[in-house]
Amino acid sequence: GAGVSQSPSNKVTEKGKDVELRCDPISGHTALYWYRQSLGQGLEFLIYFQGNSAPDKSGLPSDRFSAERTGGSVSTLTIQRTQQEDSAVYLCASSLIQGANYGYTFGSGTRLTVV
Amino acid sequence: AQTVTQSQPEMSVQEAETVTLSCTYDTSESDYYLFWYKQPPSRQMILVIRQEAYKQQNATENRFSVNFQKAAKSFSLKISDSQLGDAAMYFCAYRSPVTQGGSEKLVFGKGTKLTVNP
């Protein structure tokens, strides 16, 4: 596609339920990133995928969070047993190649509300 | 670890005037990249301008320019001839150079909310 696509745009879920957030990066972009933006905060790095390399999961806040990237394209971020503190906007970004000195192309995010 | 600080939670400017948004960062690296992103209510982060640390010349993109002071670890954004469409959250971000087996990730400040008054 022409841009990074994220779905759903908004998600309301009950505490304790699992949620899946989807990111469809720009075709041909080998690097994919997930960030979390909590109210009034900057963007917090969660996880990074680059080609066939092992992902950098250093930003995942707990073992309730996991992500996968299938076929080097679409990525899914899964949050198990959601908590109220998981409420945030989850942003996905992709970039063409590792080491590029330009920034990333972001999607419009998924706003997750845990009630 | 690198940190990015934006000391102005909110700023306002009159249409057609000039405004400067501040950003400082902390790093022990000598080579890195700096970015300013704009986030309108649509939530999508839009790259405004970028600067390579090894370049002494300040980056410029139309009405947007930066004042990069490497020794002071300062990277401010100047918006000239402000327009109503410039109203948004602005985030400063830092990125390390890629190292062998390393990972790229942007480190963001907490943002500055810019209001443009007609």
Side-chain angles (χ1 to χ4, degrees), chain A residues 35 56 98-101 108-109, chain B residues 43-44 52 95 103-104 106:
Chain A
Y35 284 83
D56 176 357
Q98 186 181 20
N101 68 348
S108 296
Chain B
R43 298 198 305 245
Q44 186 173 19
E52 293 93 338
R95 207 205 80 190
S103 174
E104 299 178 36
L106 289 171

Side-chain angles (χ1 to χ4, degrees), chain B residues 45-84:
Chain B
M45 300 285 282
I46 301 166
L47 178 64
V48 174
I49 199 166
R50 61 180 178 266
Q51 174 82 43
E52 293 93 338
Y54 63 85
K55 290 186 177 180
Q56 292 185 339
Q57 186 174 5
N58 289 323
T60 298
E61 289 287 341
N62 299 315
R63 298 183 295 107
F64 299 87
S65 61
V66 298
N67 183 5
F68 174 48
Q69 300 290 328
K70 191 173 183 179
K73 297 179 182 176
S74 172
F75 182 61
S76 61
L77 174 70
K78 186 172 80 171
I79 306 174
S80 303
D81 185 25
S82 296
Q83 300 177 0
L84 295 177

Side-chain angles (χ1 to χ4, degrees), chain A residues 43, chain B residues 1-6 23-29 32-34 72-75 92-96 105-110:
Chain A
L43 277 72
Chain B
Q2 293 80 19
T3 59
V4 176
T5 302
Q6 293 180 249
C23 173
T24 58
Y25 55 94
D26 186 25
T27 184
S28 58
E29 297 171 325
Y32 45 86
Y33 305 100
L34 297 166
K73 297 179 182 176
S74 172
F75 182 61
C92 179
Y94 172 104
R95 207 205 80 190
S96 298
K105 56 188 176 186
L106 289 171
V107 178
F108 287 88
K110 292 188 176 182

